[in-house]
C-alpha cells in the first residue's frame, strides 16, 4: 500500500517498471507536456495493473501555482527543460560526439505553456500522508519542486 510520486513521468517508463516489480502501489504521475502526457497515459492505461493504481496529472510541479513556458525537445524529450536554454547543458557534455548528437536532437524546439502547482497543494487536495517514495526526474526544476513541499517535505520516506 505504498504511495509513490513519479515527478517527471515523461512517457511513463518508471511507472511501467514499478508496475512490473510491485503490487498494491498508489502511483501519482506528473507530466506537464501534453504530447508526453498523452503518451504516458496511453502506456499506463494499457497495463495489466497488478492491483496498482495510477493517478495521471497533466501538470508540472514548482514552488508556486502559475503558468510557465518549457523548452520541449520532441526528439529528445528527456532534455526538455524550464531553464533558459539547452546551451549550458551542451557545454557540460564531455565529448564532441555527445555535443553533436545533442545538437541534432535538440534542433527542433517548441516553447510549450504549462501549468505548475506545488506538491503541497496536491498533497492537501488528495489527502496524502506517509508517502513512501518520491522520484524526481526533471531538468532544472528540482529545487523549485522541493521548495513546493513546504512543511510536507518530511512525510516522504525516501527521495
Amino acid at each position: 500500500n505504498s504511495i509513490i510520486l513519479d515527478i517527471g513521468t515523461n512517457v511513463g517508463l518508471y511507472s511501467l517498471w514499478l508496475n512490473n516489480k510491485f503490487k498494491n502501489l498508489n502511483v501519482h504521475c506528473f507530466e506537464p507536456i501534453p504530447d508526453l502526457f498523452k503518451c504516458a497515459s496511453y502506456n499506463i492505461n494499457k497495463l495489466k495493473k497488478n492491483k496498482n493504481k495510477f493517478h495521471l496529472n497533466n501538470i508540472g510541479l514548482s514552488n508556486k501555482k502559475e503558468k510557465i513556458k518549457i523548452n520541449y525537445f520532441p526528439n529528445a524529450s528527456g532534455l526538455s527543460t524550464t531553464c533558459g536554454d539547452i546551451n549550458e547543458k551542451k557545454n557540460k557534455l564531455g565529448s564532441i560526439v555527445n555535443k553533436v548528437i545533442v545538437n541534432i536532437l535538440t534542433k527542433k524546439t517548441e516553447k510549450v505553456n504549462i501549468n505548475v502547482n506545488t506538491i503541497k497543494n496536491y498533497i492537501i487536495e488528495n489527502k496524502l500522508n506517509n508517502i513512501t517514495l518520491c522520484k524526481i526526474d526533471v531538468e532544472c526544476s528540482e529545487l523549485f519542486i522541493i521548495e513546493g513541499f513546504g512543511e510536507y517535505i518530511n512525510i516522504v520516506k525516501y527521495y
Side-chain angles (χ1 to χ4, degrees), residues 2-151:
S2 294
I3 296 173
I4 310 288
L5 303 178
D6 181 1
I7 302 172
T9 299
N10 200 286
V11 298
L13 293 179
Y14 183 67
S15 289
L16 296 176
W17 179 81
L18 287 171
N19 189 68
N20 286 334
K21 294 286 183 185
F22 304 100
K23 292 182 180 176
N24 300 316
L25 296 179
N26 228 325
V27 183
H28 296 261
C29 304
F30 301 88
E31 179 52 56
I33 299 172
D35 288 350
L36 298 178
F37 178 77
K38 184 177 178 182
C39 187
S41 297
Y42 176 83
N43 288 334
I44 291 168
N45 287 327
K46 286 296 223 182
L47 291 174
K48 183 177 179 186
K49 295 193 176 93
N50 296 332
K51 299 182 182 176
N52 293 319
K53 294 179 187 164
F54 291 87
H55 310 271
L56 302 165
N57 298 280
N58 188 204
I59 60 168
L61 296 172
S62 190
N63 57 359
K64 57 186 165 188
K65 185 175 181 175
E66 64 181 340
K67 288 186 184 233
I68 61 172
K69 289 190 184 298
I70 189 168
N71 295 309
Y72 170 47
F73 305 105
N75 298 323
S77 62
L79 296 175
S80 300
T81 180
T82 56
C83 291
D85 63 40
I86 193 72
N87 290 326
E88 184 179 335
K89 260 188 199 182
K90 289 179 189 176
N91 292 334
K92 290 181 182 179
L93 293 172
S95 73
I96 190 69
V97 174
N98 286 342
K99 289 180 184 178
V100 169
I101 290 168
V102 170
N103 276 331
I104 291 167
L105 292 175
T106 58
K107 267 212 187 315
K108 183 177 180 186
T109 305
E110 299 174 17
K111 296 262 188 205
V112 178
N113 292 315
I114 62 168
N115 293 312
V116 295
N117 201 342
T118 67
I119 191 64
K120 174 183 173 177
N121 289 342
Y122 185 86
I123 288 169
I124 292 168
E125 289 167 15
N126 291 278
K127 299 178 177 133
L128 301 181
N129 53 39
N130 298 321
I131 297 168
T132 307
L133 176 70
C134 176
K135 170 266 206 188
I136 303 174
D137 185 4
V138 298
E139 303 300 313
C140 192
S141 297
E142 295 85 356
L143 180 58
F144 299 126
I145 292 167
I146 296 295
E147 288 174 350
F149 273 92
E151 67 272 18

